[in-house]
Amino acid sequence: MYVAAIDVGGTKIVGAAVDRKGEIKTPIRVENTGLSGEFIVETCVDIFHRLSRQHEIKALAVGTGGRLDTEAGIVRRAVDLYTGYVGLNIKEILETNCHLPVVIDNDCCMALRGELWKGGLKDYQRVAGLILGTGVGGGVAVRKNGQYQIQQAEFGHFILHPSGRKCLCGQRGCAEQYLSGTSLWNRYNQLTGRAKIRSGYEFFNQVKAKDKTAQEILHEFVKDLAICLISIQNLYDVEAVVIGGGLADTRQFWWRETECQLVQKSSHVLPKLEILPARNGNQAALLGAARLGFEKLEAML
Ligand SMILES: [Zn+2]
């Protein structure tokens, strides 16, 4: 028995059949070229049909960006997302086309759910997930009766610098403008005055090459990250924050300094905040989606 798990990302839509143990089978990747609600749901239906030819699929679970009404299955709000996406009832369309139970949730919540399931974490009472990728997002998990309830948290639009850089959401100084991979390479090009690099990967190549500007930007990133983490702890009373997303793969360049900054900047009243790297990389969201799908199936028994 499998759940068809799908992760809708800005550049690609990834799907796979996942079993109850978290074994991922038949991964499928489709470039998200349509960038519209219609293209996304059509691709989800297509991925489902391809997976169900090979596996006994019992539910479909989709993780996607934006603020979602998970009960109704609708994207309620989104910054700079796809055309015709806000207001679209993804759940209803997929249920009609695939004839099985469908669950949807925010992609960062799915990633946190995946880490809680397969990340080898302790049984925290309260834990947050901070996803640092092309953008920044997150979620907060609270344990109740042995089960985690996960709530979406817009860590990307938490204001770090009130008079800071303009964000796509209309605010100024949002965390996403300082902590995303995009913000790092944009800042590098801005400070060097040349449109030289186009990705977080290239930015970290500059760090590796001991480029002064890149190192300074990374130092600022660490200070901002520490502030963000401390605020998450203060606001949500979490014991730990799991840090995932593409930037987690570059942590050898910034993890230790972040821990030092946390010690320096945290209130002595607060217990020590644990920070943990996500273990499942870009599979976390698929695993989390599958887990939610199985929970739905169990609730229906
Ligand atoms: Zn913002």
Side-chain angles (χ1 to χ4, degrees):
M1 185 169 88
Y2 291 86
V3 167
I6 298 178
D7 179 27
V8 178
T11 55
K12 59 189 189 300
I13 301 172
V14 180
V18 184
D19 72 11
R20 193 68 189 83
K21 289 182 182 154
E23 195 83 32
I24 295 177
K25 304 262 174 72
T26 323
I28 296 171
R29 178 193 162 119
V30 178
E31 298 306 312
N32 191 357
T33 49
L35 297 177
S36 70
E38 196 186 350
F39 177 83
I40 290 164
V41 288
E42 275 173 12
T43 306
C44 289
V45 172
D46 179 57
I47 289 175
F48 161 73
H49 285 305
R50 285 161 69 185
L51 291 172
S52 53
R53 270 179 231 132
Q54 295 181 56
H55 305 281
E56 190 200 357
I57 307 287
K58 292 290 186 190
L60 176 57
V62 180
T64 177
R67 276 257 166 187
L68 310 178
D69 178 337
T70 53
E71 290 277 312
I74 299 174
V75 181
R76 287 289 181 213
R77 274 174 289 145
V79 176
D80 188 34
L81 224 57
Y82 323 109
T83 48
Y85 209 44
V86 173
L88 193 68
N89 195 323
I90 304 175
K91 186 169 181 273
E92 198 177 86
I93 299 170
L94 294 178
E95 275 173 349
T96 308
N97 284 281
C98 305
H99 310 288
L100 41 65
V102 174
V103 283
I104 70 163
D105 202 350
N106 172 267
D107 49 0
C108 295
C109 292
M110 289 298 201
L112 175 58
R113 188 175 281 110
E115 288 300 325
L116 289 166
W117 187 26
K118 291 287 165 190
L121 302 177
K122 279 196 278 181
D123 285 342
Y124 294 108
Q125 206 53 40
R126 302 172 70 88
V127 55
L130 176 64
I131 311 298
L132 307 175
T134 318
V136 172
V140 176
V142 178
R143 201 178 173 86
K144 269 188 193 146
N145 306 324
Q147 280 239 326
Y148 281 111
Q149 307 282 330
I150 299 177
Q151 178 202 332
Q152 194 185 343
E154 289 282 12
F155 296 142
H157 301 282
F158 151 73
I159 297 176
L160 266 173
H161 300 286
S163 313
R165 299 172 203 158
K166 203 137 204 316
C167 182
L168 290 169
C169 73
Q171 296 177 167
R172 274 196 177 276
C174 289
E176 188 162 280
Q177 301 305 317
Y178 299 84
L179 300 178
S180 63
T182 318
S183 74
L184 295 177
W185 63 261
N186 264 332
R187 185 73 179 148
Y188 182 84
N189 288 341
Q190 216 175 47
L191 290 182
T192 55
R194 284 167 291 165
K196 203 174 163 190
I197 56 171
R198 308 289 307 162
S199 68
Y201 176 79
E202 286 177 66
F203 172 80
F204 281 97
N205 276 341
Q206 298 298 322
V207 173
K208 245 186 264 178
K210 303 213 181 310
D211 178 284
K212 274 264 165 328
T213 311
Q215 285 179 324
E216 274 163 31
I217 293 168
L218 193 63
H219 183 61
E220 292 302 313
F221 162 86
V222 166
K223 288 202 284 187
D224 287 333
L225 177 58
I227 293 170
C228 192
L229 289 165
I230 293 166
S231 297
I232 291 172
Q233 184 184 20
N234 274 302
L235 289 169
Y236 293 96
D237 194 23
V238 291
E239 297 142 83
V241 180
V242 184
I243 302 178
L247 281 188
D249 298 336
T250 64
R251 65 184 177 277
Q252 81 244 41
F253 299 109
W254 50 266
W255 196 270
R256 195 168 298 166
E257 204 193 328
T258 304
E259 287 182 318
C260 292
Q261 286 280 330
L262 275 179
V263 172
Q264 281 173 30
K265 291 191 158 82
S266 288
S267 153
H268 63 277
V269 176
L270 293 172
K272 187 179 180 297
L273 178 70
E274 285 186 60
I275 55 170
L276 310 151
R279 293 260 188 93
N280 296 287
N282 51 17
Q283 292 190 328
L286 281 184
L287 288 169
R291 171 76 188 204
L292 187 63
F294 281 112
E295 282 173 13
K296 168 85 176 175
L297 289 172
E298 277 152 24
M300 288 167 68
L301 288 177

